[in-house]
Amino acid sequence: MDALPPPAEDRFRSFLETEAHRLGFDAVGVASARTDEVVVERFDTFVEEGRYGTMGWIAETAERRRGVTSMWAEARSVIVLGMNYGPGFDPLEALENKAQGVISVYARNRDYHDVIKGRLKELAGRLMGRIRQMRPDESHSVKVFVDTAPLLEKPLGQAAGLGWQGKHTNLVSREHGSWLFLGSIATTLALTPDTAASDACGSCRACQDICPTDAFPAPYQLDARRCISYLTIETKALVPRALRPAMGNRIYGCDDCLAVCPWNKFASTAREARLQARDDLNAPSLESLMRLTDADFRALFSGSPVKRIGRDKFVSNCLIAAGNSGLDALLPQVTRLLGDEAALVRAMAVWAFGRLSPSGALAARDAALVNEDDDLVRGEWHALVETSR
């Protein structure tokens, strides 16, 4: 099937851009579905060195991640769309109040997958209608992706001209800084690719230098195993003890490397109301969050991406933040959670207790709980006893 002649493609692109902006997208571009060998090489290195941590699905789907055509051989083009979720505040300011938990900007309201996917499907339907008008004798298809398939969307975003993959490995836009959600529509229609965005990071190291856990072994490389977003969201294992103090009061994700980017000076607040932060998630108190039952957790985070990690993981994150707070006022809640039903919660309560409790109380607690059957909790108590000697 031949590409559209220039006048027809111009009309199609004008229709695409008009409809995309009408549906709330702030950026749109087109990339080829062909594999970029440089991108594949970087991805292979990430997998070979095990930097994906416990996210085994990344390695399992590695072959399909090497390009759009690896998943869909008939694809010719990819329409990449960006939706701005810029905050109307500085996300770094909340890190100073140790009595509060900090939730990543993207997760302070509705799950962006739900918001964007519905818009993408509507746009895809409109595009298919236009394609049928232009090519009634040909059979074409589209497929929609929003983090729901093994697609390397950030390199596609760069290839489509939306921005470049910065030294923090996220997409950076000249117009929107680091605050763009990405979605894609792959199609069998051959479209002229836009000019790829060029790297404009220059000599800046702000995102590398601010990372609390040194998760960037080199510019443009991320070791997810040290990333706070991975530690608070993805891994089901205990957070390594050496990394817990650096997490501060971050309880779901981390925005440091995004928030410090100088290109954010051109960013604006999100237009989409469902992506603007809820007041109750801007500065929630750790004391109240540690009280959450499973039902409370589900109610508070209904429709939020936070809900997917579950109450136990979330409360364990809050306990790490409590242990880092230095606040005696949080000790009663930490002590109460030593008896929680979830082993993960009890284990992190032990760690937080050791950080907040006077050393004189340690022996009594150890005598009562060191025989805990669960290996997670027993390991934390033994580590606490060793460090207190």
Side-chain angles (χ1 to χ4, degrees):
M1 290 177 278
D2 297 330
L4 294 172
E9 179 161 358
D10 290 343
R11 290 193 297 272
F12 180 78
R13 290 293 295 267
S14 177
F15 176 81
L16 163 63
E17 291 168 9
T18 298
E19 290 299 302
H21 285 99
R22 186 185 66 80
L23 288 168
F25 293 103
D26 299 286
V28 57
V30 175
S32 169
R34 292 194 303 269
T35 300
D36 184 320
E37 294 303 326
V38 174
V39 171
V40 171
E41 183 178 339
R42 289 178 179 174
F43 173 69
D44 286 346
T45 299
F46 176 83
V47 173
E48 289 166 4
E49 296 187 359
R51 291 177 179 172
Y52 54 85
T54 59
M55 297 182 290
W57 43 268
I58 291 181
E60 292 167 6
T61 59
E63 285 298 327
R64 287 185 288 155
R65 290 180 184 274
R66 291 191 169 90
V68 179
T69 54
S70 298
M71 294 188 298
W72 189 21
E74 294 79 17
R76 301 284 297 280
S77 307
V78 184
I79 300 165
V80 186
L81 299 115
M83 187 175 287
N84 171 40
Y85 71 103
F89 51 87
D90 180 359
L92 298 176
E93 290 181 357
L95 299 175
E96 300 303 317
N97 192 332
K98 303 303 181 183
Q100 298 171 343
V102 177
I103 296 171
S104 183
V105 169
Y106 87 89
R108 297 189 191 186
N109 203 325
R110 302 292 295 183
D111 190 329
Y112 73 92
H113 297 89
D114 299 335
V115 175
I116 294 179
K117 192 164 189 178
R119 305 287 178 83
L120 281 178
K121 286 183 174 180
E122 185 175 347
L123 178 59
R126 291 178 178 274
L127 294 179
M128 276 303 302
R130 183 54 61 99
I131 292 170
R132 291 190 186 104
Q133 289 178 4
M134 296 186 305
R135 292 292 177 90
D137 298 328
E138 297 178 356
S139 177
H140 285 284
S141 301
V142 296
K143 291 186 179 182
V144 167
F145 303 101
V146 193
D147 283 351
T148 51
L151 190 70
L152 299 177
E153 291 180 314
K154 289 179 285 187
L156 279 173
Q158 178 162 350
L162 272 63
W164 67 96
Q165 212 167 345
K167 291 180 181 178
H168 53 19
T169 74
N170 291 287
L171 200 74
V172 184
S173 162
R174 290 179 181 272
E175 294 80 22
H176 306 288
S178 292
W179 312 109
L180 272 184
F181 288 133
L182 298 178
S184 303
I185 301 174
T187 177
T188 54
L189 182 68
L191 296 170
T192 303
D194 285 303
T195 302
S198 57
D199 190 313
C201 286
S203 61
C204 179
R205 285 188 46 88
C207 60
Q208 312 284 286
D209 295 338
I210 200 173
C211 181
T213 52
D214 295 322
F216 301 106
Y220 309 103
Q221 297 180 29
L222 172 69
D223 188 338
R225 295 168 295 185
R226 299 187 64 86
C227 177
I228 292 176
S229 289
Y230 167 83
L231 296 172
T232 57
I233 301 172
E234 298 297 343
T235 183
K236 302 300 184 290
L238 284 180
V239 174
R241 295 187 187 99
L243 296 179
R244 293 172 197 168
M247 291 168 63
N249 58 341
R250 302 167 186 83
I251 56 174
Y252 185 93
C254 178
D255 292 316
D256 291 26
C257 65
L258 303 179
V260 77
C261 179
W263 285 98
N264 289 335
K265 63 186 176 182
F266 298 112
S268 58
T269 304
R271 291 191 293 145
E272 170 59 54
R274 290 179 295 173
L275 298 180
Q276 296 172 3
R278 284 165 38 186
D279 289 341
D280 61 337
L281 297 186
N282 268 336
S285 77
L286 288 173
E287 197 275 340
S288 63
L289 293 177
M290 287 190 291
R291 290 180 179 273
L292 293 176
T293 63
D294 186 65
D296 295 334
F297 172 80
R298 291 176 178 275
L300 178 62
F301 294 109
S302 176
S304 163
V306 178
K307 186 178 177 181
R308 76 181 181 90
I309 70 170
R311 175 262 179 189
D312 297 346
K313 173 65 174 175
F314 182 76
V315 173
S316 76
N317 292 341
C318 293
L319 282 162
I320 293 175
N324 289 329
S325 72
L327 299 174
D328 292 341
L330 297 179
L331 188 56
Q333 279 305 313
V334 170
T335 304
R336 182 182 67 83
L337 289 170
L338 289 169
D340 193 81
E341 291 184 0
L344 179 62
V345 172
R346 295 198 304 277
M348 288 303 92
V350 169
W351 184 82
F353 178 84
R355 299 268 290 185
L356 297 177
S357 174
S359 57
L362 179 60
R365 286 291 173 187
D366 179 50
L369 299 174
V370 75
N371 293 321
E372 164 77 49
D373 289 336
D374 193 279
D375 289 342
L376 291 180
V377 186
R378 187 167 60 249
E380 289 298 322
W381 274 114
H382 284 308
L384 185 55
V385 170
E386 289 301 313
T387 56
S388 66
R389 287 176 178 170

